[in-house]
Amino acid sequence: MSHHSKANTLSVLLSLIFTFMILTILILLIGKDPVEVYSLIYNDVFTSGYGIGQTLFKATPLIFIACGLAICFHASLFNIGAEGQLNAGSFVIALTAVQIESLPLILKLLICACAGFAAAGLVGLIPAVTKVKKGVSEVISTIMMNFVVLAVINYRMVDFFAVKSTLRTVSIGDDSLLGKASDLFPFFEGSSLNVSFIAALVVAALVYILIYKTTFGYKLRAVGFNETASRYIGVKVNKMILTSFFVGAGITALVGINYIFGYKGYYELGFSNNIGFTAIAVSLLAKNNPVGIIFSSILFAALDYGGLAVNQLIPKEVMLVVQGLIILSILSSDSIVQSYFKKRGLI
Amino acid sequence: MEILSGILSFTFLAQIFRMMTPYYLGASGANFSERAGVINISIEGFMNMAAFSFAVFSIFTGNSILALVLCLIVNIILSIVFSLFTVTLKINQIVTGVGFNLLIAGITKFLMVLFFSSSSNTPRISVHPDMAFSITLFAIALILISIHLLYKTKFGLRLRSAGENPWAAESLGVKVMKYKYAGVIISGLLSALGGIWLVSSQNNYSDGMIAGRGYIALAAMIIGKWKPLNIFFACLMFAAFEALEITLQISGADIPTQLIQMLPYLITILVLIGFIGKTKPPAADGIPY
């Protein structure tokens, strides 16, 4: 193991231990028994097929979004706009699916995925273009784009596409829904886990190859590491910024496949519930490595679902606190571990 | 016609000045932080924390002045932790900001359920009747205070030097770290007042009540080009949009209010692209020192 990966593993472990400690203290403060809480989480999340299924179902969108974000983050592009991008993509997926209802499912999926990808990608392209052309910080422009996109969807939605007195689009039809995992494996009975999870794993594998095994990925990381130097070795930095933003944002649209084709059958305003921001934490925890993202997504999903399991003892919102603590503790333990290794000349 | 007379009334004007309050407090706070070179995208979270803690303290102490003091202390602690991350540990400021926003949203939601067994809003709070109005007056006075503090005092000069060229400042004996901490703490205090104003004017705290105001404040700071008076005008403009939106909603006119909601953000992007003058942040803004 190189010193780099040693440092990374150490800081991830430290942050998880720290978060676990704080959570335990919190449970004690409320006057509940931590052992009881943890065994409840364990029993509900890991021992029943339903629990495992729900956890993987909740992990699916996180894997998609965090993988998309990882592409941007590797190029040192702070894409805070996943929330807007994924909503634009999902909205378009729902609208497209209704238009092409008569096509066979597989064709429909492909067309919808492409349409959603393009819509989310275009939303992501706006901050990229303003950055390349005018030097506008992508942080501010992606934050602003989130609000703009949601307002536009809200407007188009409420006035044109919504089913009366709801905030959702028309259903894409029951026979358009993807197969549930429980159809094949009765073990997952009742959970919403569907084929999208496999798609998420495939996307993670593809993004891994893209980042670490291709010339594109090499250039991407070069830009992220040192923009000026990579310009000198002939990397077209502007092109890299545009492509990584388009592809990264595009991938976030795939959550729409999970939600619309795999679960509800329609797009609903507010379905994303700030998952675009949670995914930033997921990607960070995994050091923007797509394989690690699979695990950190499952961890965050398990926390999310575990919250429901312990809701009778402590408010399930405690898991939101835990997720926040994880991101801040990973940031600080990273910084501390890195400087410790550097001081000793190890990295 | 009815809408027009609604807009041209004195109450509408007063409404704009009221609604400007949280924007200007947040934006001035963000400005102090950025002038010291620390980008604080956590203004939204800071406001949220303050609004929540003020509501809780008011309910538990029954004294809104005491609650105000306690709430400010909470936000000072929060700002010090934020500075610890961004200034002392030199962790990326944007990521830290996102983390703080997530954590604060989690903490407030969790404590809401724990204290009030409701995930949406607190019981009604009786706030000192002059609280909201005094904060608005303070916000207007803040224009002069910020100008004086930033441009006419040693403190302001050194604060700005920390954001423009910390290396040169340090070589001249300015304790750069101290000024960066000061900038962030001021941002924490001012955004806290913004949160308190929201609670005192609505007489309760509800989940999601900040509703992006912290981000609009950042937008106003950018449009105002990091200058106190310009920021004030930007905030007035955004407050006018908000007031207009409410008037239109009440009148039931056939104008989509969602599109008005979008304007602050859209205008900010246009300003950044350079359609409306050039913008220039402090030179060392966002760079850890």
Side-chain angles (χ1 to χ4, degrees), chain A residues 1 12 18 24 33 52 85 140 144 147 168 173 176 188 192 214 218 228 238 240 247-248 309 317 341:
Chain A
M1 214 192 226
V12 170
F18 172 79
T24 311
D33 180 9
I52 296 174
Q85 293 150 12
I140 298 297
M144 299 302 145
F147 290 99
R168 59 182 185 81
S176 298
F188 293 117
S192 310
T214 63
Y218 175 76
T228 324
N238 287 352
M240 293 306 294
V247 176
E317 285 76 8
F341 273 67

Side-chain angles (χ1 to χ4, degrees), chain B residues 33-51:
Chain B
S33 174
E34 296 222 353
R35 283 294 189 160
V38 182
I39 297 178
N40 185 354
I41 64 164
S42 209
I43 296 290
E44 178 87 1
F46 280 25
M47 278 189 177
N48 191 10
M49 192 69 201

Side-chain angles (χ1 to χ4, degrees), chain A:
Chain A
M1 214 192 226
S2 74
H3 285 304
H4 252 294
S5 38
K6 256 187 208 161
N8 280 346
T9 322
L10 185 64
S11 65
V12 170
L13 278 179
L14 275 178
S15 76
L16 292 180
I17 292 171
F18 172 79
T19 310
F20 189 69
M21 271 166 45
I22 299 275
L23 177 60
T24 311
I25 295 171
L26 210 59
I27 297 170
L28 285 171
L29 280 178
I30 301 174
K32 296 287 190 287
D33 180 9
V35 181
E36 198 187 346
V37 172
Y38 291 136
S39 57
L40 237 134
I41 295 181
Y42 176 78
N43 282 334
D44 257 40
V45 180
F46 298 107
T47 59
S48 79
Y50 176 73
I52 296 174
Q54 281 302 83
T55 302
L56 297 182
F57 168 69
K58 282 173 186 285
T60 311
L62 287 173
I63 299 175
F64 280 131
I65 306 167
C67 282
L69 289 177
I71 295 179
C72 299
F73 292 165
H74 269 290
S76 281
L77 296 169
F78 286 103
N79 179 2
I80 316 286
E83 191 72 10
Q85 293 150 12
L86 72 92
N87 267 289
S90 305
F91 187 49
V92 168
I93 287 177
L95 295 184
T96 316
V98 177
Q99 294 300 319
I100 52 171
E101 211 171 348
S102 50
L103 292 180
L105 182 57
I106 185 81
L107 207 60
K108 203 160 26 176
L109 271 176
L110 271 176
I111 295 176
C112 287
C114 290
F117 192 100
L122 285 178
V123 171
L125 213 48
I126 295 173
V129 170
T130 55
K131 185 182 173 73
V132 169
K133 293 277 177 209
K134 298 283 180 179
V136 174
S137 149
E138 74 280 12
V139 174
I140 298 297
S141 53
T142 47
I143 291 175
M144 299 302 145
M145 280 305 289
N146 280 340
F147 290 99
V148 172
V149 169
L150 288 175
V152 170
I153 292 179
N154 193 345
Y155 166 60
R156 298 301 298 176
M157 174 88 177
V158 175
D159 290 3
F160 297 95
F161 298 114
V163 176
K164 269 234 167 330
S165 68
T166 63
L167 284 174
R168 59 182 185 81
T169 57
V170 250
S171 170
I172 61 168
D174 282 346
D175 44 330
S176 298
L177 289 182
L178 288 170
K180 295 245 186 304
S182 49
D183 299 344
L184 273 177
F185 309 99
F187 173 68
F188 293 117
E189 192 59 54
S191 85
S192 310
L193 182 64
N194 60 72
V195 196
S196 313
F197 180 69
I198 308 290
L201 296 183
V202 172
V203 166
L206 289 177
V207 172
Y208 179 85
I209 295 170
L210 180 75
I211 292 176
Y212 295 106
K213 307 285 174 198
T214 63
T215 327
F216 175 83
Y218 175 76
K219 288 182 192 163
L220 186 79
R221 287 179 291 139
V223 171
F225 194 67
N226 190 332
E227 200 187 299
T228 324
S230 49
R231 212 180 286 270
Y232 275 101
I233 58 166
V235 177
K236 293 198 174 60
V237 173
N238 287 352
K239 205 180 109 195
M240 293 306 294
I241 292 175
L242 295 172
T243 347
S244 50
F245 244 113
F246 181 74
V247 176
I251 291 175
T252 65
L254 299 178
V255 294
I257 298 289
N258 182 48
Y259 187 81
I260 296 160
F261 279 92
Y263 181 42
K264 287 283 194 186
Y266 51 78
Y267 170 89
E268 190 170 23
L269 212 60
F271 88 97
S272 54
N273 197 14
N274 283 342
I275 198 172
F277 294 100
T278 314
I280 297 175
V282 168
S283 185
L284 275 180
L285 182 62
K287 307 279 169 210
N288 306 325
N289 179 328
V291 177
I293 284 174
I294 297 174
F295 293 103
S296 57
S297 298
I298 292 176
L299 172 72
F300 269 58
L303 289 173
D304 201 3
Y305 180 67
L308 293 174
V310 296
N311 202 16
Q312 38 172 319
L313 290 173
I314 40 172
K316 62 175 190 299
E317 285 76 8
V318 73
M319 292 307 175
L320 296 174
V321 180
V322 171
Q323 292 179 349
L325 282 173
I326 290 182
I327 175 169
L328 290 184
S329 61
I330 185 78
L331 289 174
S332 47
S333 66
D334 247 7
S335 153
I336 293 164
V337 168
Q338 294 269 350
S339 68
Y340 177 87
F341 273 67
K342 263 183 200 142
K343 231 176 242 165
R344 275 159 188 69
L346 296 173
I347 52 174

